Amino acid sequence: MAAEGEQQLQTNGHAKPAEESTNSIQSKELRRKKRKKFLVYVALFTLFQIAVILFSSFYIMKVRTPIFHVRSATFDHVEYKNAENASFDIRMNVELGVKNTNFGPYKYRNSTVYFFYNDVSIGEAFVSQGKAGFKSTKKCNLLVNLSSKDVLPKDSQLRNDLSSGTLILTSKSKLEGKVELIFVIKKKKSTEMNCTITIGLADKVVQDIDCD
């Protein structure tokens, strides 16, 4: 009996250290897996942060030039003659647009829109200061009188255009202002208008508006 007890004691003595060794290995493996998961989460979070910063830098925080253009036009009065002393007198209602594609408002100062026929000034309209909200278009309506009084009365091009019933005008202007981002960053930005307006004299309608 004494021999059996001694043998059992020896067996249990060897089994206990073996069991503790197995538990230790499993514990270390578990801690290693947890550290690995933690490092993966940290790496993913870091990549996410970098992606957000890059997206903000290249898209949200990028300042784009607003678009200043003629949207449409109608006429209160159209009078012209294509005789030897060709001339025209037009009163036009113009709708302008300031398209702002930035993630912040665009505040612009007073400006003037000039209208030309064959590079000769025929009229102008005043644009008061305003603000185009972020990702939106600010519209404004102007009344402008267009007259050929400064165009040579015997201009053959003018006679030909009036005879054809089509008058091509251009509008030019420059708008200066600032884009405001996240209520703190303000960056100066100017935009220029350069539009071609084709008028059908007989029907008194705008046939086409093309802006650069």
Side-chain angles (χ1 to χ4, degrees), residues 138-185:
K138 171 71 173 179
K139 303 172 186 176
C140 61
N141 294 285
L142 305 174
L143 178 64
V144 56
N145 293 311
L146 307 174
S147 174
S148 62
K149 63 181 181 180
D150 293 328
V151 181
L152 291 176
K154 294 185 178 181
D155 188 324
S156 60
Q157 181 63 48
L158 178 58
R159 290 201 309 273
N160 292 338
D161 288 345
L162 295 177
S163 296
S164 69
T166 302
L167 193 64
I168 298 176
L169 310 179
T170 56
S171 63
K172 296 182 179 181
S173 182
K174 184 176 183 179
L175 210 59
E176 296 184 336
K178 292 181 180 180
V179 175
E180 185 178 287
L181 299 174
I182 60 174
F183 307 103
V184 177
I185 301 173

Coordinates of all heavy atoms in Angstrom, one line a residue, residues 138-185:
K138 N -26.4 81.4 -56.1 CA -27.1 82.7 -55.8 C -27.6 83.3 -57.1 O -26.8 83.5 -58.0 CB -26.1 83.6 -55.1 CG -26.6 85.0 -54.9 CD -27.7 85.1 -53.9 CE -28.1 86.6 -53.6 NZ -29.2 86.7 -52.6
K139 N -28.8 83.6 -57.2 CA -29.4 84.3 -58.4 C -29.7 85.7 -58.1 O -30.1 86.1 -57.0 CB -30.7 83.5 -58.8 CG -30.5 82.0 -59.0 CD -31.8 81.3 -59.3 CE -31.6 79.8 -59.4 NZ -32.9 79.1 -59.5
C140 N -29.6 86.5 -59.2 CA -29.9 87.9 -59.1 C -30.4 88.4 -60.4 O -30.0 87.9 -61.5 CB -28.8 88.8 -58.6 SG -27.3 88.8 -59.6
N141 N -31.4 89.3 -60.4 CA -32.0 89.8 -61.7 C -31.6 91.3 -61.9 O -31.7 92.1 -60.9 CB -33.5 89.7 -61.6 CG -33.9 88.2 -61.6 OD1 -33.9 87.6 -62.6 ND2 -34.3 87.7 -60.4
L142 N -31.3 91.6 -63.1 CA -30.9 93.0 -63.4 C -31.6 93.5 -64.7 O -32.0 92.7 -65.5 CB -29.4 93.0 -63.7 CG -28.4 92.5 -62.6 CD1 -27.0 92.5 -63.2 CD2 -28.5 93.3 -61.4
L143 N -31.8 94.8 -64.7 CA -32.4 95.4 -65.9 C -31.3 96.2 -66.6 O -30.7 97.1 -65.9 CB -33.6 96.3 -65.5 CG -34.3 97.0 -66.7 CD1 -34.9 96.1 -67.6 CD2 -35.3 98.0 -66.1
V144 N -31.1 96.0 -67.8 CA -30.0 96.7 -68.5 C -30.5 97.2 -69.9 O -31.3 96.6 -70.6 CB -28.8 95.8 -68.8 CG1 -29.2 94.5 -69.5 CG2 -27.7 96.5 -69.5
N145 N -30.1 98.5 -70.2 CA -30.5 99.1 -71.5 C -29.3 98.9 -72.4 O -28.1 99.3 -72.1 CB -30.8 100.6 -71.3 CG -32.1 100.8 -70.5 OD1 -33.1 100.2 -70.8 ND2 -32.0 101.6 -69.5
L146 N -29.5 98.4 -73.6 CA -28.5 98.1 -74.6 C -28.7 99.0 -75.8 O -29.8 99.0 -76.3 CB -28.4 96.7 -75.0 CG -28.4 95.6 -73.8 CD1 -28.5 94.2 -74.4 CD2 -27.1 95.8 -73.1
S147 N -27.7 99.8 -76.1 CA -27.9 100.7 -77.3 C -26.7 100.7 -78.1 O -25.5 100.6 -77.6 CB -28.2 102.1 -76.7 OG -28.2 103.1 -77.8
S148 N -26.9 100.9 -79.4 CA -25.8 100.9 -80.4 C -25.3 102.3 -80.7 O -24.6 102.5 -81.7 CB -26.2 100.2 -81.7 OG -27.3 101.0 -82.3
K149 N -25.6 103.2 -79.8 CA -25.2 104.6 -80.0 C -23.7 104.8 -80.2 O -23.3 105.7 -80.9 CB -25.7 105.5 -78.9 CG -25.1 105.2 -77.6 CD -25.7 106.1 -76.5 CE -25.1 105.8 -75.1 NZ -25.7 106.7 -74.1
D150 N -22.9 103.9 -79.6 CA -21.4 104.1 -79.7 C -20.9 103.2 -80.8 O -19.7 103.2 -81.0 CB -20.8 103.7 -78.3 CG -21.1 104.7 -77.2 OD1 -21.2 105.9 -77.6 OD2 -21.2 104.3 -76.1
V151 N -21.7 102.5 -81.5 CA -21.3 101.7 -82.6 C -21.4 102.5 -83.9 O -22.4 103.3 -84.0 CB -22.2 100.4 -82.8 CG1 -21.7 99.6 -84.0 CG2 -22.2 99.6 -81.5
L152 N -20.4 102.4 -84.8 CA -20.5 103.2 -86.0 C -21.8 102.9 -86.7 O -22.1 101.8 -87.0 CB -19.3 102.9 -86.9 CG -17.9 103.3 -86.4 CD1 -16.8 102.8 -87.3 CD2 -17.9 104.8 -86.2
P153 N -22.6 104.0 -87.0 CA -23.9 103.8 -87.7 C -23.8 103.1 -89.0 O -24.8 102.5 -89.5 CB -24.4 105.2 -87.8 CG -23.3 106.1 -87.7 CD -22.3 105.4 -86.8
K154 N -22.7 103.2 -89.7 CA -22.6 102.6 -91.0 C -21.8 101.3 -90.9 O -21.2 100.9 -91.9 CB -21.9 103.6 -92.0 CG -22.8 104.8 -92.3 CD -22.1 105.7 -93.4 CE -23.0 106.9 -93.7 NZ -22.4 107.7 -94.7
D155 N -21.7 100.7 -89.8 CA -21.0 99.5 -89.6 C -21.7 98.4 -90.4 O -22.8 98.0 -90.2 CB -21.0 99.1 -88.1 CG -20.1 97.9 -87.8 OD1 -20.1 97.0 -88.6 OD2 -19.5 97.8 -86.7
S156 N -21.0 97.8 -91.4 CA -21.6 96.8 -92.3 C -21.9 95.6 -91.5 O -22.9 94.9 -91.9 CB -20.6 96.5 -93.4 OG -19.4 96.0 -93.0
Q157 N -21.1 95.2 -90.5 CA -21.4 94.0 -89.8 C -22.7 94.1 -89.0 O -23.5 93.2 -89.0 CB -20.3 93.7 -88.8 CG -20.5 92.5 -87.9 CD -20.5 91.2 -88.8 OE1 -19.6 91.0 -89.6 NE2 -21.5 90.4 -88.5
L158 N -23.0 95.3 -88.5 CA -24.2 95.6 -87.7 C -25.4 95.5 -88.7 O -26.4 94.9 -88.4 CB -24.2 96.9 -87.1 CG -25.4 97.3 -86.3 CD1 -25.8 96.3 -85.2 CD2 -25.3 98.7 -85.7
R159 N -25.3 96.1 -89.9 CA -26.4 96.0 -90.9 C -26.6 94.5 -91.2 O -27.8 94.1 -91.3 CB -26.0 96.8 -92.1 CG -26.0 98.3 -91.9 CD -26.2 99.0 -93.2 NE -25.3 98.6 -94.2 CZ -24.1 99.1 -94.4 NH1 -23.6 100.1 -93.6 NH2 -23.2 98.7 -95.3
N160 N -25.6 93.8 -91.5 CA -25.8 92.4 -91.8 C -26.4 91.6 -90.7 O -27.3 90.7 -91.0 CB -24.4 91.7 -92.2 CG -23.8 92.3 -93.5 OD1 -24.5 92.9 -94.3 ND2 -22.5 92.2 -93.6
D161 N -26.0 91.8 -89.5 CA -26.6 91.1 -88.4 C -28.1 91.4 -88.2 O -28.9 90.5 -88.0 CB -25.8 91.4 -87.1 CG -24.4 90.8 -87.0 OD1 -24.2 89.9 -87.9 OD2 -23.6 91.1 -86.2
L162 N -28.4 92.7 -88.3 CA -29.8 93.1 -88.1 C -30.6 92.6 -89.3 O -31.8 92.2 -89.0 CB -29.9 94.6 -88.0 CG -29.2 95.3 -86.8 CD1 -29.3 96.8 -86.8 CD2 -29.9 94.7 -85.5
S163 N -30.1 92.5 -90.4 CA -30.8 92.0 -91.6 C -31.1 90.5 -91.4 O -32.1 90.0 -91.8 CB -30.0 92.2 -92.9 OG -29.9 93.6 -93.1
S164 N -30.1 89.8 -90.8 CA -30.3 88.4 -90.6 C -31.3 88.1 -89.5 O -31.7 86.9 -89.3 CB -28.9 87.7 -90.3 OG -28.5 88.1 -89.0
G165 N -31.6 89.1 -88.7 CA -32.5 88.9 -87.5 C -31.8 88.3 -86.3 O -32.5 87.9 -85.4
T166 N -30.5 88.2 -86.3 CA -29.8 87.6 -85.2 C -28.7 88.6 -84.7 O -27.9 89.1 -85.5 CB -29.1 86.3 -85.6 OG1 -30.1 85.4 -86.0 CG2 -28.4 85.7 -84.4
L167 N -28.7 88.9 -83.4 CA -27.7 89.8 -82.8 C -26.9 89.0 -81.8 O -27.5 88.4 -80.9 CB -28.4 91.0 -82.2 CG -27.6 92.2 -81.8 CD1 -26.9 92.8 -83.0 CD2 -28.4 93.2 -81.1
I168 N -25.6 89.1 -81.9 CA -24.7 88.3 -81.0 C -24.0 89.4 -80.1 O -23.3 90.2 -80.5 CB -23.7 87.5 -81.7 CG1 -24.4 86.4 -82.5 CG2 -22.8 86.8 -80.7 CD1 -23.5 85.6 -83.4
L169 N -24.3 89.2 -78.8 CA -23.7 90.1 -77.8 C -22.8 89.3 -76.8 O -22.9 88.1 -76.8 CB -24.7 90.8 -76.9 CG -25.9 91.5 -77.7 CD1 -26.9 92.1 -76.7 CD2 -25.3 92.6 -78.6
T170 N -21.9 90.0 -76.1 CA -21.1 89.3 -75.1 C -21.2 90.1 -73.8 O -21.4 91.3 -73.8 CB -19.6 89.3 -75.5 OG1 -19.1 90.6 -75.8 CG2 -19.4 88.4 -76.8
S171 N -21.1 89.4 -72.7 CA -21.1 90.0 -71.4 C -19.9 89.6 -70.6 O -19.5 88.4 -70.7 CB -22.4 89.5 -70.6 OG -22.3 88.1 -70.4
K172 N -19.3 90.6 -70.0 CA -18.0 90.3 -69.2 C -18.1 91.0 -67.9 O -18.6 92.1 -67.7 CB -16.8 90.8 -70.0 CG -16.6 90.1 -71.3 CD -15.3 90.6 -72.1 CE -15.1 89.8 -73.4 NZ -13.9 90.2 -74.1
S173 N -17.5 90.3 -66.9 CA -17.4 90.9 -65.6 C -16.4 90.2 -64.7 O -16.0 89.1 -65.1 CB -18.8 90.9 -64.9 OG -18.8 91.5 -63.6
K174 N -16.1 90.7 -63.6 CA -15.2 90.1 -62.6 C -15.8 90.2 -61.2 O -16.1 91.3 -60.8 CB -13.8 90.7 -62.7 CG -12.8 89.9 -61.8 CD -11.4 90.5 -62.0 CE -10.4 89.7 -61.1 NZ -9.0 90.2 -61.3
L175 N -15.9 89.1 -60.5 CA -16.4 89.1 -59.2 C -15.3 88.7 -58.2 O -14.6 87.7 -58.4 CB -17.6 88.1 -59.1 CG -18.7 88.3 -58.1 CD1 -19.4 89.7 -58.4 CD2 -19.7 87.2 -58.2
E176 N -15.1 89.5 -57.2 CA -14.1 89.3 -56.2 C -14.7 89.0 -54.8 O -15.7 89.7 -54.5 CB -13.1 90.4 -56.1 CG -12.3 90.6 -57.4 CD -11.3 91.8 -57.3 OE1 -11.5 92.6 -56.4 OE2 -10.3 91.7 -58.0
G177 N -14.2 88.1 -54.1 CA -14.7 87.8 -52.8 C -13.9 86.8 -52.0 O -12.7 86.6 -52.4
K178 N -14.5 86.2 -51.0 CA -13.8 85.2 -50.2 C -14.7 84.0 -49.9 O -15.9 84.1 -49.7 CB -13.4 85.9 -48.8 CG -12.4 86.9 -48.9 CD -12.1 87.5 -47.5 CE -11.0 88.6 -47.6 NZ -10.7 89.1 -46.2
V179 N -14.0 82.8 -49.9 CA -14.7 81.6 -49.5 C -14.4 81.3 -48.1 O -13.2 81.4 -47.7 CB -14.2 80.4 -50.4 CG1 -14.8 79.1 -49.9 CG2 -14.6 80.6 -51.9
E180 N -15.4 81.0 -47.3 CA -15.2 80.8 -45.9 C -15.4 79.3 -45.6 O -16.5 78.7 -45.8 CB -16.2 81.6 -45.0 CG -16.0 81.5 -43.5 CD -16.9 82.4 -42.8 OE1 -16.8 83.6 -42.8 OE2 -17.9 81.9 -42.2
L181 N -14.4 78.6 -45.0 CA -14.4 77.2 -44.7 C -14.4 77.0 -43.2 O -13.6 77.6 -42.5 CB -13.3 76.5 -45.4 CG -13.2 76.5 -46.9 CD1 -12.0 75.9 -47.4 CD2 -14.5 75.9 -47.5
I182 N -15.2 76.1 -42.7 CA -15.4 75.8 -41.3 C -15.4 77.0 -40.4 O -14.8 76.9 -39.3 CB -14.3 74.7 -40.8 CG1 -12.9 75.2 -41.0 CG2 -14.5 73.4 -41.6 CD1 -11.8 74.3 -40.5
F183 N -16.0 78.1 -40.9 CA -16.2 79.3 -40.1 C -14.9 80.0 -39.7 O -15.0 81.0 -38.9 CB -17.1 79.0 -38.9 CG -18.3 78.3 -39.2 CD1 -18.4 76.9 -38.9 CD2 -19.4 79.0 -39.8 CE1 -19.6 76.3 -39.2 CE2 -20.6 78.3 -40.1 CZ -20.7 77.0 -39.8
V184 N -13.8 79.5 -40.1 CA -12.5 80.1 -39.6 C -11.6 80.5 -40.8 O -11.1 81.6 -40.9 CB -11.7 79.1 -38.7 CG1 -10.4 79.7 -38.3 CG2 -12.6 78.8 -37.5
I185 N -11.4 79.5 -41.7 CA -10.5 79.8 -42.9 C -11.2 80.6 -43.9 O -12.3 80.3 -44.4 CB -10.1 78.4 -43.5 CG1 -9.4 77.6 -42.4 CG2 -9.1 78.6 -44.6 CD1 -9.0 76.2 -42.8

